[in-house]
């Protein structure tokens, strides 16, 4: 009786492996891939910061970019009050400063390439 029950599940051994593979596939397309896309967009936004941009930090502090360096950004949070933040601490750009036409065209061309 036990031998017949054990040998009857030949195709059943493949089913759990397929279910696990399907689960990993769904997790990749529903969780990992969108997170990678958001991270790429955040890095692109942070690399495009320029003086005059109004930004919000991850802590909720509003400020205007006055200087941009390799790893940090100098924000003016009140008249005469400037603080230095790491680039990844910038959550979003509220308003962009006016850019010359040539720089705007270059940014649009780069976004079309992607």
């Amino acid at each position: 009786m036990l031998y017949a029950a054990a040998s009857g599940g030949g195709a059943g051994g493949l089913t759990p492996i397929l279910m696990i593979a399907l689960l990993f596939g769904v997790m990749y397309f529903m969780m990992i891939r969108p997170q990678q896309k958001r991270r790429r967009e955040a890095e692109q936004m942070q690399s495009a910061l320029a003086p005059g941009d109004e930004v919000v930090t991850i802590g909720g502090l509003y400020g205007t970019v006055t200087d941009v360096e390799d790893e940090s950004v100098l924000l003016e949070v009140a008249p005469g009050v400037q603080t230095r933040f790491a680039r990844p601490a910038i959550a979003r750009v509220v308003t962009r400063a006016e850019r010359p036409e040539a720089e705007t065209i270059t940014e649009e061309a780069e976004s079309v390439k992607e």
Side-chain angles (χ1 to χ4, degrees):
M1 215 26 127
L2 292 175
Y3 179 73
S7 66
L14 188 60
T15 304
I17 294 172
L18 289 176
M19 292 300 288
I20 290 172
L22 181 65
L23 178 66
F24 279 114
V26 168
M27 282 180 43
Y28 176 77
F29 284 107
M30 298 295 286
M31 296 172 60
I32 297 170
R33 196 161 173 240
Q35 181 63 30
Q36 289 174 341
K37 182 180 178 189
R38 280 190 294 267
R39 184 69 221 146
R40 255 185 270 120
E41 290 171 353
E43 287 174 358
Q44 182 181 7
M45 179 269 305
Q46 291 163 357
S47 67
L49 290 174
D53 291 346
E54 291 182 32
V55 298
V56 178
T57 66
I58 57 175
L61 185 70
Y62 284 78
T64 303
V65 176
T66 58
D67 188 29
V68 178
E69 296 178 1
D70 289 337
E71 297 295 321
S72 64
V73 177
L74 193 64
L75 296 182
E76 184 173 23
V77 294
V81 179
Q82 294 184 347
T83 56
R84 184 170 308 279
F85 286 90
R87 276 185 189 250
I90 306 300
R92 64 183 171 96
V93 176
V94 178
T95 57
R96 291 239 179 243
E98 292 294 321
R99 307 264 201 292
E101 284 297 318
E103 189 174 315
T104 305
I105 292 170
T106 305
E107 288 177 0
E108 290 175 0
E110 288 176 1
S111 65
V112 169
K113 287 179 185 177
E114 295 174 3

